[in-house]
Amino acid sequence: MKLKTTLAMVPVLIVMAACGGGAPAPTDGGAVRVVATTNIVGDLVRTIGGPNVEVEALMGPGIDPHLYKASAGDVRRMSSAEAIFYSGVHLEGKMSEVLERMGERGMRTVAVAECVPEENLIESTGFSGLHDPHVWFDVALWSQTVGCVVETMADLDPDHADAYRERAAAYVDELVALDGWVRERVEDLAPEQRVLVTAHDAFGYFGRAYGFEVRGLLGVSTASEAGTSDVQNLAGFIVEHEIPAIFVETSVPPRYVQALQEAVRARGFGVEIGGSLYSDALGNPGTPAGTYAGTVRANVETIVTALAEPADAD
Amino acid sequence: MNERQDWALEVEDLTVAYADKPVLWDIDLQVPEGVKMAIIGPNGAGKSTLVKAAMGLVKPVAGEVRIFGRSRERAEGQIAYVPQRATLSWDFPTDVIDVVTMGTYGRVGWFRRCGSAEKEEAMAALEQVGMTDFARRPIAALSGGQQQRVLLARALVQDAPIYILDEPFQGVDAPTERAIIEVLDELADIGKTIIVVHHDLQTITEYFNAVLLLNVRAIDSGLVEEVFTEENLRLTFGGRVGVLAASGAGGL
Amino acid sequence: MDLFGDYTLRLVALGSAVLGATSGALGSFAYLRRQSLLGDAVSHAALPGIVLAFMLTGSKAPLVLMLGAGLAGWIGTLAVQVVVRRSRVPYDSALGIVLAVFFGVGLVLLTHIQKLPNAAQAGLESFLFGQAASLLRRDVVTMAVLGAAALVILLLLWKEFKVLSFDPDFAAGLGLPVRRLDGVLTLLLVVAIIIGLQTVGVVLMSAMIVAPGAAARQWSRRLAPMVAMAAAIGIFSGVTGSIFSSYLPRLPTGPTIVLVLSAIFVISLFMAPHRGLLWRSLRFGVLRTAPDLDPVLMHLYALSHQHPDDPEHGHSVAVIRTMSPPEAKVDAALERLADRGLAQRTAVGGWAPTPIGRREAQRILDREAGEGS
């Protein structure tokens, strides 16, 4: 019957539409084509690769890498690339199988965060044997990932190896300077003001490097669910320490933090939402926050500005 | 001569099909007010389907049903229907008086609750069928005959001009059968039209004054003494089921 | 911390109570009309509606998403009807098809939108299993308003829905607009489902629809008490689940509510008077006749009917043997009936049923009459 075939066609059409979008661009003469998962990794590779590399990031601004599932189009893009750069340490939680399969097929896969020596990683409290993957907010630590990337690029494209190494060295210098700037900027906050409450536990490394106590409502991965006790406990914590501002994140639904704010308000304390932080993704390309360095600056400005003002308790 | 009297129920050219197979074919039937008519035929003859079409529960492929001269859609509430017992879920959480009171819902109107007046009418109907002691009994605890009486009481409460009963004597004990027939006789005496899908040929002449012999086509219909003949029975029950049975459906 | 002093707990408990009341009440009707699977189908069919609502409007406001969910769920029920009417596919298969197709489309759409910037902000994935801890005050207000409206309509149309559920053909004869009433009742069910999606999610919502009514049925004999009890069970599960999840960290509220509800259902199945399994085995354990004893008891009873004025009149074992199939162990059966007080020896060496035995035989007859046809 016509109706039944139409019904059956709907899912087929949708799958085709999803695959059809994003046809691979024709190869430029010479540029190495690679795929990155998050746009944070993408920015890293692009900076080092320069004009010699064409980077396609699977996840754009505001996308949550913990929940992201690779589509058929993504798999195709990864298969036809020369290397796949991903963050690793289980950040791309739902893509681990796909990445494994790529590795088995002989694709070159590089987990940049795993370049950092393991003793420098923070152990995850919830899951023993696993680590917190959000390494990029410790700028000094992030600069340690440059090594892996440049080695891979030099390997793939020996003709431009020198150019890569030059760019990498320059970038490390830039990151060192950025790290210094952050340390200075956070001095504007007294030690007891340095408490960062966000939607999920993405800022552990930031806290460790720059002296903040960090609390997230959800755990290290947004795939976990917050229970009402988590909201209650965190709300109590905020009231106790009179924290003036809490933060939403661009890649996590703001309602968690809004619910937290309502809970705090109900306890008679007026906490503000201090702004939106880029936690697991960079900002929109073309804006200042579209690069890694820009994002770090934007985040730090938001944090310091919001926390510097004393709270109005009512 | 051919002006339309108001038959209680009139069926014209009615054809009903399921998945391209005819279940009722070109049925013409006129039922005058006040008769007690039986519908008989073998299994698969379309007896229940005819009843459902009269109720507007199935859509015919062709033909019309009229109730007191008005088309089916505008004849709401004119038929008190006693369905086959087996089609109901007797596990439903309710008691006897509650089921009987359902017969008043058409009259009570939207958004209003049934009051003591309706409860009294329901008790009166239960008395007519001899079930007053069972008023508070959950329907799951009723025997077959008791169930049938409750359904009849529900129809009585509705106080409609036409009663249609589908196999009311199927699987009931003799006292219940007698009780039901007495009620039907009383109803006919006060001018109600009774139509019964019936399975027991032995009791036709005793219980009914009109009959429709049905086997996908209307074989014949009319007064029992004229139409309930050997010949017609053979045409209805012997021979093949289907549209090739003899023609002829007369009016009364 | 006192039990309801905490704001978050109050909010979540209230939202869960609204969910429990509406899904319990309306789910009871679905249960009685044998449409429990329809609740499952509608919940799953709601998923593409939620995603499409976000894709078309860019809004993450719960009301918008819920409207999308409701619309998709509603279309799902229409799709089921069309499939059933226009093809030979039976009703339950049609439900399964619609459920799977719609849910599959929903999952595909979810994967598709993750490419859109800021789609993660909408938190659409949380609709799969619910995210009760992120309920805001305005969400609970929306739920309460919708829930109250649905319950008011249910009360106004109570008797119509009752007769529709019990005997739709008779209802048609009364002149009630059966198709339209069915549509309204289905719509109320859809509303009950979308109220719950934020709290327990698409996948678990069907439990909230089915279980309260099924549990309440075990305890009640009439419709009003059943529906009221189902609503009460729903409320209790919602509130208790919220309390548990607020005391134990990382315990998701939605699944906890469903677990509490399931426990109540299992308890009802066993413990309810008259219908409960425990009750039945206790009651009949004392008087229970094993299947092979029943026929002999019935023969005794039938024979005793021939002497209504002389209940002690016995009949010989031989007579009973002729009434029974050749392999029946009549003597042993009679002894065991005597042990249980259902039969007795009479003066001249015959057998007769005791008064208890007669009552038991009549009860078996009544039950068989009720269960048959």
Side-chain angles (χ1 to χ4, degrees):
Chain A
M1 296 238 71
K2 203 160 165 224
L3 182 67
K4 279 204 303 200
T5 41
T6 312
L7 272 182
M9 285 305 290
V10 169
V12 176
L13 288 172
I14 294 199
V15 171
M16 281 174 59
C19 291
T27 21
D28 268 44
V32 179
R33 284 183 53 236
V34 302
V35 159
T37 51
T38 66
N39 56 4
I40 302 177
V41 173
D43 181 73
L44 179 67
V45 177
R46 216 172 272 128
T47 310
I48 296 175
N52 303 120
V53 169
E54 205 183 290
V55 182
E56 197 174 348
L58 297 180
M59 305 182 209
I63 308 266
D64 184 340
H66 297 288
L67 301 177
Y68 187 84
K69 293 184 272 282
S71 68
D74 292 338
V75 172
R76 223 191 22 245
R77 259 169 247 133
M78 286 193 274
S79 306
S80 61
E82 294 184 49
I84 303 170
F85 291 91
Y86 63 106
S87 193
V89 197
H90 288 288
L91 177 74
E92 296 94 343
K94 307 235 165 165
M95 282 183 65
S96 44
E97 247 186 63
V98 174
L99 291 168
E100 239 180 74
R101 249 187 295 130
M102 288 288 143
E104 282 164 18
R105 276 203 223 160
M107 296 292 309
R108 204 175 173 122
T109 58
V110 181
V112 304
E114 286 166 21
C115 286
V116 174
E118 195 174 316
E119 60 265 18
N120 291 347
L121 296 177
I122 297 178
E123 271 221 17
S124 173
T125 48
F127 310 91
S128 63
L130 294 182
H131 299 93
D132 182 338
H134 302 89
V135 288
W136 54 90
F137 281 124
D138 178 344
V139 183
L141 215 56
W142 188 240
S143 67
Q144 293 181 22
T145 65
V146 173
C148 280
V149 178
V150 80
E151 285 318 308
T152 310
M153 294 312 307
D155 218 32
L156 283 176
D157 186 14
D159 296 339
H160 295 105
D162 293 328
Y164 296 138
R165 294 214 176 82
E166 247 180 70
R167 278 194 285 268
Y171 194 47
V172 172
D173 288 339
E174 200 187 312
L175 291 180
V176 170
L178 181 60
D179 183 72
W181 175 86
V182 175
R183 283 175 198 280
E184 235 185 85
R185 189 74 179 87
V186 302
E187 291 292 323
D188 288 351
L189 293 175
E192 61 273 9
Q193 284 177 308
R194 295 191 207 163
V195 185
L196 184 59
V197 177
T198 59
H200 82 295
D201 262 332
F203 292 90
Y205 290 91
F206 180 86
R208 185 180 70 171
Y210 307 112
F212 279 76
E213 185 177 352
V214 170
R215 292 285 183 103
L217 184 55
L218 301 171
V220 159
S221 167
T222 53
S224 67
E225 253 195 77
T228 49
S229 69
D230 303 313
V231 176
Q232 291 165 327
N233 292 336
L234 194 48
F237 174 81
I238 292 170
V239 173
E240 210 185 298
H241 290 85
E242 293 187 350
I243 298 170
I246 56 181
F247 300 87
V248 296
E249 300 170 29
T250 60
S251 56
V252 179
R255 57 177 24 249
Y256 298 121
V257 177
Q258 285 168 343
L260 182 59
Q261 183 186 30
E262 272 189 23
V264 173
R265 288 234 166 106
R267 284 173 167 76
F269 184 72
V271 67
E272 294 299 322
I273 294 194
S276 186
L277 299 179
Y278 300 93
S279 57
D280 288 345
L282 303 181
N284 291 311
T287 66
T291 63
Y292 171 72
T295 296
V296 172
R297 277 183 216 273
N299 276 354
V300 172
E301 284 296 334
T302 307
I303 292 170
V304 174
T305 315
L307 291 179
E309 307 180 359
D312 342 293
D314 20 65
Chain B
M1 203 186 63
N2 56 359
E3 88 282 316
R4 243 192 297 207
Q5 307 173 246
D6 275 356
W7 303 104
L9 172 69
E10 187 182 358
V11 174
E12 202 178 320
D13 297 334
L14 186 76
T15 300
V16 176
Y18 289 147
D20 297 336
K21 234 178 23 163
V23 176
L24 288 175
W25 185 263
D26 200 22
I27 307 287
D28 289 315
L29 179 67
Q30 288 95 21
V31 182
E33 234 182 305
V35 294
K36 285 183 295 182
M37 169 175 269
I39 301 180
I40 58 176
N43 286 334
K47 309 190 289 292
S48 284
T49 310
L50 177 59
V51 157
K52 293 216 169 129
M55 305 274 306
L57 297 169
V58 303
K59 260 199 146 47
V61 162
E64 260 180 65
V65 172
R66 278 186 287 278
I67 313 240
F68 291 112
R70 301 199 334 267
S71 81
R72 189 40 315 262
E73 291 73 42
R74 279 187 261 115
E76 311 297 31
Q78 304 281 58
I79 299 184
Y81 180 47
V82 179
Q84 284 189 35
R85 275 202 331 268
T87 60
L88 296 182
S89 149
W90 291 94
D91 201 34
F92 199 84
T94 184
D95 54 27
V96 164
I97 187 80
D98 204 22
V99 170
V100 178
T101 313
M102 286 181 191
T104 66
Y105 286 0
R107 271 180 285 142
V108 169
W110 296 97
F111 312 137
R112 257 175 276 146
R113 325 185 49 126
C114 292
S116 47
E118 284 74 32
K119 285 275 151 46
E120 272 173 42
E121 293 176 38
M123 285 305 288
L126 281 177
E127 181 146 0
Q128 240 185 309
V129 299
M131 289 277 291
T132 44
D133 288 341
F134 289 78
R136 288 275 161 209
R137 180 104 30 124
I139 59 175
L142 297 178
S143 70
Q146 292 164 344
Q147 290 172 355
Q148 197 63 58
R149 295 185 202 219
V150 169
L151 293 183
L152 181 58
R154 181 179 68 170
L156 288 173
V157 162
Q158 194 181 337
D159 198 28
I162 303 177
Y163 285 70
I164 299 188
L165 299 87
D166 196 341
E167 307 258 11
F169 305 112
Q170 179 77 269
V172 304
D173 50 72
T176 302
E177 181 157 338
R178 254 191 305 283
I180 294 177
I181 266 300
E182 268 175 42
V183 171
L184 294 183
D185 284 340
E186 285 166 24
L187 291 173
D189 283 343
I190 58 174
K192 306 287 189 186
T193 309
I194 315 285
I195 302 175
V196 176
V197 173
H198 196 60
H199 67 280
D200 183 9
L201 299 179
Q202 312 294 341
T203 46
I204 296 283
T205 42
E206 190 190 331
Y207 291 170
F208 301 99
N209 47 33
V211 67
L212 162 68
L213 296 114
L214 185 66
N215 192 344
V216 183
R217 275 184 169 278
I219 308 297
D220 205 352
S221 64
L223 296 174
V224 165
E225 25 321 340
E226 290 170 16
V227 154
F228 191 61
T229 62
E230 283 264 359
E231 175 71 10
N232 274 344
L233 284 173
R234 201 176 48 75
L235 288 170
T236 310
F237 287 86
R240 292 148 51 210
V241 174
V243 298
L244 298 182
S247 64
L252 268 170
Chain C
M1 124 186 38
D2 59 309
L3 208 56
F4 286 104
D6 180 76
Y7 169 84
T8 306
L9 176 57
R10 264 207 309 269
L11 200 62
V12 173
L14 182 58
S16 309
V18 170
L19 153 65
T22 45
S23 64
L26 288 157
S28 301
F29 282 90
Y31 172 82
L32 290 173
R33 301 171 79 204
R34 310 230 191 285
Q35 287 186 336
S36 297
L37 195 57
L38 183 66
D40 200 13
V42 169
S43 330
H44 284 77
L47 184 64
I50 297 171
V51 184
L52 280 171
F54 171 75
M55 284 169 71
L56 292 176
T57 66
S59 158
K60 340 172 211 126
L63 194 55
V64 172
L65 299 180
M66 274 156 69
L67 278 175
L71 205 56
W74 174 249
I75 294 177
T77 63
L78 296 180
V80 170
Q81 286 182 24
V82 166
V83 169
V84 166
R85 246 177 256 149
R86 302 280 177 93
S87 75
R88 298 209 199 180
V89 175
Y91 184 66
D92 56 350
S93 306
L95 281 176
I97 293 171
V98 168
L99 190 162
V101 169
F102 275 61
F103 191 63
V105 169
L107 289 178
V108 168
L109 288 176
L110 271 182
T111 312
H112 177 74
I113 64 158
Q114 57 180 357
K115 290 277 191 199
L116 299 178
N118 304 316
Q121 292 234 309
L124 297 182
E125 290 231 4
S126 72
F127 278 94
L128 282 173
F129 288 100
Q131 194 31 294
S134 72
L135 281 177
L136 302 173
R137 163 166 276 143
R138 61 163 192 260
D139 299 332
V140 176
V141 168
T142 309
M143 288 164 75
V145 168
L146 283 177
L151 289 176
V152 163
I153 296 178
L154 179 67
L155 284 177
L156 283 178
L157 292 175
W158 179 265
K159 60 181 197 296
E160 284 78 8
F161 287 150
K162 186 199 306 197
V163 66
L164 175 74
S165 308
F166 176 58
D167 192 351
D169 291 346
F170 179 76
L174 280 177
L176 295 180
V178 171
R179 284 262 184 97
R180 260 177 276 156
L181 283 173
D182 182 70
V184 172
L185 191 51
T186 306
L187 181 64
L188 293 184
L189 185 65
V190 170
V191 169
I193 289 172
I194 66 177
I195 285 177
L197 291 182
Q198 273 187 295
T199 311
V200 294
V202 158
V203 175
L204 295 176
M205 190 62 212
S206 64
M208 301 298 302
I209 292 288
V210 175
R217 182 68 189 92
Q218 310 301 314
W219 299 91
S220 55
R221 292 175 162 207
R222 301 219 313 280
L223 185 62
M226 174 183 166
V227 172
M229 174 159 288
I233 291 176
I235 293 173
F236 179 81
S237 309
V239 171
T240 311
S242 304
I243 293 177
F244 282 164
S245 107
S246 91
Y247 276 108
L248 302 166
R250 300 265 181 255
L251 199 65
T253 310
T256 309
I257 294 175
V258 173
L259 282 177
V260 172
L261 181 57
S262 307
I264 296 178
F265 173 69
V266 170
I267 292 174
S268 303
L269 209 54
F270 277 99
M271 305 285 287
H274 303 299
R275 292 174 70 109
L277 297 177
L278 190 64
W279 167 276
R280 281 208 227 179
S281 78
L282 277 179
R283 186 182 188 285
F284 300 151
V286 173
L287 288 182
R288 175 176 37 193
T289 52
D292 51 323
L293 296 185
D294 277 355
V296 176
L297 180 62
M298 300 313 288
H299 291 321
L300 279 182
Y301 188 51
L303 287 171
S304 76
H305 269 304
Q306 295 175 9
H307 307 271
D309 304 319
D310 181 14
E312 308 279 288
H313 186 111
H315 294 87
S316 71
V317 183
V319 170
I320 301 169
R321 263 197 230 119
T322 61
M323 293 167 83
S324 310
E327 63 276 3
K329 301 199 180 69
V330 173
D331 302 67
L334 288 168
E335 294 291 340
R336 279 155 66 198
L337 284 171
D339 286 342
R340 295 172 194 221
L342 300 173
Q344 57 189 341
R345 283 194 178 75
T346 59
V348 288
W351 286 86
T354 60
I356 303 175
R358 273 200 296 280
R359 272 207 298 280
E360 177 69 11
Q362 184 57 49
R363 203 196 45 76
I364 296 176
L365 270 181
D366 287 345
R367 190 185 67 207
E368 280 175 4
E371 283 171 1
S373 69

